[in-house]
Amino acid sequence: MSSQLPPTGQELGLEESMLSAPSIGPKRILSIEGGGVRGVFSLRILLRMEELLRRKHGKDSMVLADHFHLISGTSVGAIIGTYLSYGWPVGEMLKLFKESLPIIFARAQWWKLHGAAYRRGPLREMLQKHFVEPNGGQALFGTRRLKTWLLVVLRNMSTGAAWPLLNHPEGKFAKLQEDGSSNLKIPLWQVVRASTAAPWFFPPERVTVAAGQTMEFVDGGITPHNNPSVISYLMATLPCFPLQWKKGVNNIQVVSVGTGRIRAKLGAFERGRLGRLRFLDHVPAALIESTSLAQDLTMRSWGRCIQGGVLDSELGHLSGKEAVGSDFLYCRYNTEWTTDEIDRACAVSGCKFALSSVKLAPWLESEGEKYADKHVRIEHFP
């Protein structure tokens, strides 16, 4: 990569208000969770949000990047979030997503598996096609074509660390390092592809971070930040990060969009025959689900929750009159599917309820539309 210094905020074309005093005006964060094909459910919620905001402001061409200052995403949430930050309308994103799913989740030939069930090529080609500069060159993570601050979560296999990447030019690792590296100089498509490289499903992404230095990255869901709401808020407010936004319900709003919750549980018959391999197969889903719920609980403890379902039978909602926090305004859109609902979805779709089950997309879209019509309200976006 070139050793040229990364651009300043002004060179990136970013608004001065986004770079200067964070106390000027309320700041809005949109956080989008990982979940494979279930991203269709999230997109229907986002579509409803965009429709309501367009109606409120009387702008038919308004996109979510016109409303939010920071968009964050992990795995499929990274795909959706980056396209939204790039200025895509949700309707176009939903159409692209549904058209691309059968291609992205097409099984690789056994001699081309490379330790993964699906090929890396189709998603890579889609991202490379869209994330380009006006001159046709590759858009980098520091591109001015992103209309918001963008946070994408990866896991660095080479160092064993979570990598939440923020496209702010004043970030510690956005600045030019002694080895010539800068996060802003990584191709944008590669950042997103790395965040979606779920083990077993897709091969890791090899990224050249500096001359002669290559690292391997996998899905950001293999970190505590598959639900990136907490890390988004921390990176927006902690003094070690460049945004340093002022806390308070009148200063920051966080909208967190999930992909639907499924309890990773086993019946008595399965538990009685739970060998080591079956147990290992059960653990990742259980950890991701539990961590996502813990992130939601943390956000409701810190912020004033104005929308959110039941956390559990003891905690309740911690929203509305039960809200306890005051650091920011918080809105959580997500649902929990019952065993009966999952059985019906599988019967209608003729497939398992898996992250890669493309045939579930129509059911997921229908569920997302019903959920959005019932729960997404314009008063959630003051």
Side-chain angles (χ1 to χ4, degrees):
M1 291 185 179
S2 168
S3 61
Q4 182 179 357
L5 284 168
T8 65
Q10 286 71 28
E11 290 170 338
L12 285 170
L14 299 169
E15 296 179 10
E16 182 66 24
S17 61
M18 297 175 71
L19 292 166
S20 60
S23 59
I24 301 175
K27 303 300 179 186
R28 307 182 189 98
I29 300 172
L30 174 61
S31 168
I32 309 170
E33 203 166 306
V37 171
R38 300 208 305 259
V40 176
F41 174 82
S42 307
L43 280 164
R44 287 302 311 197
I45 295 171
L46 293 165
L47 182 64
R48 178 64 173 163
M49 288 167 52
E50 187 177 75
E51 290 171 348
L52 291 175
L53 287 168
R54 285 178 173 182
R55 195 179 307 163
K56 176 181 178 179
H57 296 282
K59 297 179 180 179
D60 293 338
S61 61
M62 185 178 182
V63 294
L64 293 182
D66 295 325
H67 180 77
F68 291 96
H69 300 88
L70 167 62
I71 298 179
S72 63
T74 302
S75 196
V76 71
I79 298 176
I80 296 170
T82 303
Y83 274 94
L84 296 182
S85 180
Y86 220 63
W88 276 53
V90 181
E92 288 187 25
M93 181 71 241
L94 180 59
K95 180 181 177 183
L96 172 69
F97 196 76
K98 292 190 293 183
E99 291 174 348
S100 303
L101 281 176
I103 303 171
I104 293 172
F105 286 104
R107 288 275 180 178
Q109 294 93 339
W110 66 266
W111 62 88
K112 295 182 179 179
L113 287 177
H114 301 296
Y118 306 104
R119 295 177 295 131
R120 75 179 80 212
L123 177 57
R124 172 183 287 183
E125 292 163 8
M126 182 185 84
L127 299 173
Q128 287 177 332
K129 175 183 177 182
H130 294 132
F131 297 146
V132 295
E133 298 291 357
N135 63 5
Q138 285 185 350
L140 304 182
F141 192 52
T143 178
R144 70 179 64 189
R145 298 203 67 184
L146 291 169
K147 301 181 68 175
T148 71
W149 300 123
L150 176 66
L151 172 59
V152 177
V153 182
L154 331 173
R155 176 174 173 79
N156 189 328
M157 286 183 62
S158 301
T159 65
W163 270 37
L165 300 185
L166 180 67
N167 67 328
H168 196 296
E170 300 303 319
K172 181 175 181 178
F173 295 104
K175 296 177 180 179
L176 190 67
Q177 306 297 301
E178 290 183 2
D179 60 5
S181 64
S182 164
N183 290 342
L184 297 187
K185 298 195 298 182
I186 301 174
L188 180 60
W189 72 264
Q190 202 165 31
V191 171
V192 179
R193 164 66 183 82
S195 182
T196 65
W200 164 248
F201 291 102
F202 296 101
E205 185 67 26
R206 295 177 62 86
V207 179
T208 301
V209 296
Q213 185 181 6
T214 301
M215 294 181 175
E216 286 196 335
F217 293 85
V218 293
D219 198 308
I222 314 300
T223 73
H225 311 302
N226 187 60
N227 174 349
S229 55
V230 169
I231 192 63
S232 301
Y233 170 69
L234 292 176
M235 292 188 76
T237 56
L238 287 179
C240 54
F241 297 113
L243 290 175
Q244 299 178 21
W245 291 347
K246 184 179 179 181
K247 297 179 182 180
V249 293
N250 295 320
N251 298 318
I252 298 178
Q253 181 184 26
V254 182
V255 177
S256 175
V257 180
T259 55
R261 180 184 172 200
I262 303 172
R263 297 204 178 204
K265 56 186 179 181
L266 294 170
F269 180 84
E270 293 175 297
R271 292 197 303 270
R273 289 158 177 77
L274 194 61
R276 276 185 260 181
L277 291 178
R278 182 68 182 88
F279 180 76
L280 289 175
D281 181 56
H282 174 75
V283 166
L287 287 176
I288 289 174
E289 177 207 328
S290 300
T291 304
S292 179
L293 185 62
Q295 300 279 41
D296 188 16
L297 170 59
T298 299
M299 294 298 284
R300 297 196 204 196
S301 301
W302 292 345
R304 181 184 299 167
C305 184
I306 58 174
Q307 157 62 36
V310 174
L311 291 165
D312 64 30
S313 57
E314 184 174 12
L315 290 165
H317 293 78
L318 292 185
S319 64
K321 294 180 180 179
E322 301 174 9
V324 295
S326 60
D327 284 357
F328 51 88
L329 204 61
Y330 179 61
C331 194
R332 172 68 169 171
Y333 296 123
N334 202 27
T335 193
E336 179 178 337
W337 286 304
T338 66
T339 301
D340 288 342
E341 288 174 318
I342 292 171
D343 289 343
R344 285 198 299 271
C346 293
V348 170
S349 306
C351 63
K352 294 181 179 179
F353 205 92
L355 299 181
S356 58
S357 295
V358 176
K359 291 181 180 179
L360 281 173
W363 182 85
L364 289 164
E365 183 177 3
S366 175
E367 290 297 300
E369 183 177 10
K370 287 188 290 187
Y371 177 91
D373 287 345
K374 182 177 180 180
H375 295 284
V376 182
R377 297 285 180 265
I378 191 59
E379 53 265 29
H380 296 164
F381 309 98

